[in-house]
Amino acid sequence: MSTSSAGRRPTMEDVADMAGVSRGTVSRVLNGGHYVSPDALAAVHRAIRKTGYVVNQHARSLVTQRSDSVAFILSDPQDRLFEDPNFAILLKGCTQALAERGITLVLTIAGTLEDRKRVGRWVTAGHVDGVLLVSEHAGSPLIDELRSRGLPIVAAGRPIGYERDISYVAADDRDGARQMVTYLRSRGHRRIGIITGPIDTPGGVDRLAGYHDVLGEADPRLVANGDYTQDSGARAMDELLHRAPDLDAVFVCSDLMARGAIAALRRAGKRIPEDVAVGGFDDSKAAVSATPQLTTIRQDFVRVSTEMVRLLHDAITSGGRSAVILPTDLVIRDSA
């Protein structure tokens, strides 16, 4: 129950009186707890709960020059947010990790070049303290716009061409691809195709590189490109079957595309895995809802999101810059 007068919002002075500390100590606790003893820190937190004190964010922002907000920028069309289950996991994980630090997440979609310019102008106008950048494509003007304003950035995935300039968290895409192709070879498959992601994204580049690490310069007829959507997986599979009808396995660089590939194989009268084995990448909901369930490469999106928030908080508070590469694991199911 609040101890402040009826009808009056509790103040920092109320918190200080109840905790038996100075107003300055309360202020230090609210701004990170630096130079505050453990006993005083605990007393202030108890007093905040008992008084019901709520920080005046506008007033705080005037003092700290921070908005306590972070932009989550998805550099893909809006429908991808709802189609691809990986984005939802990243968004949820980042929202939760930021909330634990008292920071609000603002979702922005930058699926076109014009969108990227508009979003770049908005986030650099002081509305947010930093940016979580998801699914950025090489050659986009957005990173340069953000960097020119000195805004802290953390990318999901290796930011092609900016690896030394901004922080990022990435799964080990190349090693994951090596694991999958090595496994398919161990099962006796020799005509192994690949459906890549967009070749202007790190997943598209690095997973294709891992495929070549195992197979060398494979028959170019065995390589088709997709864009991580289910429809593109079906189209690319049709293309592979036309160019290389003797293929006996396919590594599809996302689970969602793999579902499209499975549909195309079935239309062509192919049995899975008896005629063509199928491997995916992500270990998303699309992998376990596919029929048959997908053999795939697992990347930990929950950990990716928490690491992204940790690095961004470090960049905002201390200007640090780091890269985190997370391991991937082969998950064997029925499709290969």
Side-chain angles (χ1 to χ4, degrees):
M1 178 182 296
S2 172
T3 59
S4 59
S5 301
R8 181 174 66 83
R9 290 181 62 181
T11 66
M12 287 179 64
E13 287 75 10
D14 296 324
V15 174
D17 288 344
M18 176 169 285
V21 299
S22 69
R23 188 182 186 281
T25 297
V26 175
S27 179
R28 287 193 295 276
V29 170
L30 295 175
N31 286 285
H34 303 294
Y35 310 112
V36 179
S37 72
D39 288 345
L41 187 67
V44 170
H45 282 304
R46 283 195 301 270
I48 289 171
R49 289 194 297 271
K50 288 182 179 180
T51 61
Y53 175 73
V54 177
V55 176
N56 183 324
Q57 288 297 136
H58 177 67
R60 183 178 179 182
S61 295
L62 292 175
V63 174
T64 64
Q65 297 298 300
R66 292 182 187 166
S67 66
D68 287 329
S69 298
V70 161
F72 182 103
I73 301 179
L74 175 61
S75 295
D76 266 322
Q78 183 172 324
D79 55 1
R80 291 290 309 283
L81 177 64
F82 303 100
E83 180 184 7
D84 193 325
N86 300 328
F87 291 144
I89 296 172
L90 280 175
L91 180 61
K92 180 180 179 181
C94 289
T95 301
Q96 291 177 336
L98 288 166
E100 292 171 2
R101 300 175 184 270
I103 300 172
T104 300
L105 180 144
V106 180
L107 172 63
T108 57
I109 308 294
T112 67
L113 183 60
E114 188 57 40
D115 285 342
R116 293 182 183 109
K117 292 178 180 177
R118 172 182 50 79
V119 168
R121 290 192 297 268
W122 184 81
V123 299
T124 57
H127 298 291
V128 296
D129 299 323
V131 167
L132 299 168
L133 192 58
V134 178
S135 196
E136 182 64 3
H137 296 251
S140 164
L142 186 55
I143 292 181
D144 283 333
E145 174 75 13
L146 300 176
R147 290 182 64 235
S148 70
R149 304 297 182 92
L151 199 64
I153 312 165
V154 175
R158 182 174 62 87
I160 297 174
Y162 294 91
E163 293 88 345
R164 296 179 181 274
D165 302 312
I166 66 174
S167 297
Y168 64 95
V169 180
D172 195 337
D173 290 309
R174 188 165 184 163
D175 183 63
R178 286 194 294 257
Q179 291 180 63
M180 177 59 73
V181 179
T182 298
Y183 170 73
L184 292 173
R185 283 176 59 89
S186 76
R187 302 290 292 175
H189 302 292
R190 290 297 176 264
R191 292 286 284 169
I192 302 171
I194 182 172
I195 298 175
T196 76
I199 57 174
D200 62 350
T201 64
V205 171
D206 293 340
R207 294 171 200 178
L208 178 60
Y211 169 85
H212 285 304
D213 286 344
V214 178
L215 298 180
E217 289 302 318
D219 186 341
R221 292 175 297 176
L222 292 171
V223 179
N225 298 325
D227 64 7
Y228 292 139
T229 64
Q230 185 165 323
D231 286 346
S232 77
R235 289 193 300 270
M237 192 71 248
D238 287 336
E239 182 182 334
L240 287 177
L241 288 172
H242 176 72
R243 293 198 316 233
D246 60 338
L247 66 78
D248 56 12
V250 59
F251 167 39
V252 190
C253 291
S254 82
D255 294 340
L256 203 56
M257 289 197 300
R259 289 188 58 164
I262 286 173
L265 287 167
R266 284 217 175 90
R267 287 195 300 271
K270 301 290 187 180
R271 298 170 300 162
I272 304 160
E274 293 86 356
D275 298 324
V276 179
V278 179
F281 202 108
D282 291 333
D283 196 28
S284 64
K285 290 181 180 179
V288 294
S289 62
T291 304
Q293 291 191 342
L294 277 172
T295 291
T296 189
I297 296 296
R298 175 180 294 149
Q299 54 176 323
D300 189 343
F301 286 104
V302 173
R303 188 175 173 196
V304 169
S305 62
T306 56
E307 288 293 321
M308 287 178 68
V309 168
R310 181 180 67 82
L311 294 190
L312 187 61
H313 185 262
D314 289 347
I316 292 170
T317 57
S318 63
R321 182 174 58 81
S322 302
V324 175
I325 309 296
L326 299 175
T328 53
D329 299 294
L330 176 68
V331 179
I332 299 173
R333 296 195 180 97
D334 298 331
S335 69

